Amino acid sequence: MNKAKKKKTAGLIVEIILYAVMLVQMLYAFFGNIPHEILGVIFFAALLCHVVMKRWWFKSVFRNLSKKAPERIAADVIILLLILNGAFLAASGIGVSRFLFPKAVFLQNPELHRVLATSMLTLAVLHGGSSMYIHAKKKKLTVLLALIFAVGAAAIGLFLVPYLDRHFKKVSIDYEEAVVGVRLPYEELSDTAAVCFTRVGNTDFEENVDAVSGASLMLASGKLTGNAGLLADMIHDIAGCPVKQITLSGQKYPSSYADTVTAGGRELRTQARPEIEPVDIASYDRIILVYPLWWGTIPMPVASFLESNDFSGKTIYLVATQGSSGFGSSLQDVKKLAGGAEVVEALSIYCDDVPKARETLYEWLRSLSGKTP
Ligand SMILES: Cc1cc2nc3c(=O)[nH]c(=O)nc-3n(C[C@H](O)[C@H](O)[C@H](O)COP(=O)(O)O)c2cc1C
């Protein structure tokens, strides 16, 4: 094989690796975070090789612009967009990384990362299509195929990835490892109770739900557990605070995550107050309210709890878990519903980080108990 042919083959292999890694990265729900981060680094290393191999492009891009054919200009624009997109994707990848770059928390927005990954895949498909177009005999067919594949790529990122994430992501953890650890002296927070709302206990789950545990559920040592439920258990283990569950007394939520999202949205729109079992918090001055963010605020059963208790003179600490929205508008909403209470935003924990949140909770509870080392 001569040198030029070898170079061409190497270039083709790198391109195949790039497309394959991009597609595999979209299957995050099946492979989990660590392989995703490692593959991400491999992707950018391969991308760098690709850019070095094609470095001649940088010299040619602005040369003889006026004489360039429109398809060449379009292809160059796509490459420029790809380079920009790649830079932002790398930055957002580092920002959301929890394994390889745990300290780089400057851009913790998984949704933005997914959108940038989607546009990268779509532009990469268009880039492949535009290179083929230049040499293709059947130009119209090439354009049509490139557009179909580009729409397919966008659909994978925008619809298939969230769908897989919600329905197929299996999180299996060791309950003891996640929840049990160093404790604070229990008497320090004896005036504090944790009140928790979570899907588990408030949902009519189908028999096989543990096979598709979804975004908000995990198997903790084989037992189905919700994110907020696990956080409340950690608070109990660290500080000894009793955990009181907000439990629906009427109709429960549907088994499917998507149907629960719809039901939660409907309840928010109609400002429903689902009926709940009584929760007695009279003897506590401080309440740690642990809840998942639903449609950017508290789930409506939490509103039922807040309206059915007297909070005068009490402090409510908000511990939220969410899929990207921080606290949303929960601070303002809880303030409105829990008249007389001081309401404080304490911690908002991204759903995937819940199993590893004990240390964060410990540090916060230690500051709450006024204890210093
Ligand atoms: C009905 C519903 C609405 C949701 N809305 C939001 C939202 O607006 N913003 C967000 O970041 N996450 C949202 N999520 C994701 C949950 O907050 C997240 O998965 C949380 O960790 C679930 O906790 P749980 O297992 O205790 O239910 C929503 C989930 C459900 C079921």
Side-chain angles (χ1 to χ4, degrees), residues 29-30 163-172 199 205-220 222-225 255-257:
F30 298 111
Y163 180 83
L164 294 179
D165 220 30
R166 301 238 144 103
H167 296 273
F168 293 95
K169 190 161 83 181
K170 273 180 91 171
V171 181
S172 200
R199 278 178 76 207
F205 285 117
E206 283 160 15
E207 293 264 302
N208 67 344
V209 73
D210 58 355
V212 283
S213 51
S216 88
L217 302 173
M218 70 194 93
L219 287 174
K223 190 170 162 252
L224 198 64
T225 310
S255 184
S256 130
Y257 181 88

Side-chain angles (χ1 to χ4, degrees), residues 168-302:
F168 293 95
K169 190 161 83 181
K170 273 180 91 171
V171 181
S172 200
I173 60 156
D174 183 319
Y175 182 86
E176 293 271 313
E177 203 180 290
V179 170
V180 181
V182 189
R183 292 175 177 154
L184 292 166
Y186 283 179
E187 60 283 1
E188 302 253 356
L189 285 158
S190 57
D191 62 345
T192 309
V195 175
C196 168
F197 176 79
T198 189
R199 278 178 76 207
V200 177
N202 287 306
T203 303
D204 280 325
F205 285 117
E206 283 160 15
E207 293 264 302
N208 67 344
V209 73
D210 58 355
V212 283
S213 51
S216 88
L217 302 173
M218 70 194 93
L219 287 174
S221 296
K223 190 170 162 252
L224 198 64
T225 310
N227 289 335
L230 197 72
L231 293 174
D233 286 0
M234 289 176 190
I235 292 170
H236 174 69
D237 186 75
I238 295 167
C241 311
V243 176
K244 295 173 181 272
Q245 300 288 348
I246 299 175
T247 312
L248 294 170
S249 52
Q251 201 191 354
K252 301 211 185 288
Y253 290 103
S255 184
S256 130
Y257 181 88
D259 292 347
T260 307
V261 171
T262 310
R266 195 183 318 116
E267 285 183 354
L268 179 65
R269 272 195 311 281
T270 56
Q271 278 300 302
R273 292 293 180 265
E275 278 186 27
I276 58 165
E277 304 289 347
V279 184
D280 183 9
I281 42 123
S283 50
Y284 299 95
D285 296 333
R286 302 195 277 190
I287 306 296
I288 303 171
L289 187 60
V290 192
Y291 59 96
L293 208 73
W294 278 17
W295 290 92
T297 186
I298 48 168
M300 288 303 102
V302 177

Side-chain angles (χ1 to χ4, degrees), residues 116-131:
L116 286 169
T118 305
S119 48
M120 187 84 187
L121 182 63
T122 312
L123 284 168
V125 169
L126 288 174
H127 171 53
S130 65
S131 314

Side-chain angles (χ1 to χ4, degrees), residues 306-346:
L306 293 169
E307 279 185 352
S308 56
N309 282 279
D310 179 9
F311 288 93
S312 355
K314 296 188 196 293
T315 305
I316 302 176
Y317 297 95
L318 304 181
V319 173
T321 163
Q322 34 73 25
S324 66
S325 318
F327 288 98
S329 64
S330 40
L331 178 72
Q332 300 85 306
D333 298 336
V334 172
K335 271 186 180 163
K336 268 186 232 149
L337 295 162
E342 187 190 341
V343 187
V344 180
E345 282 180 351

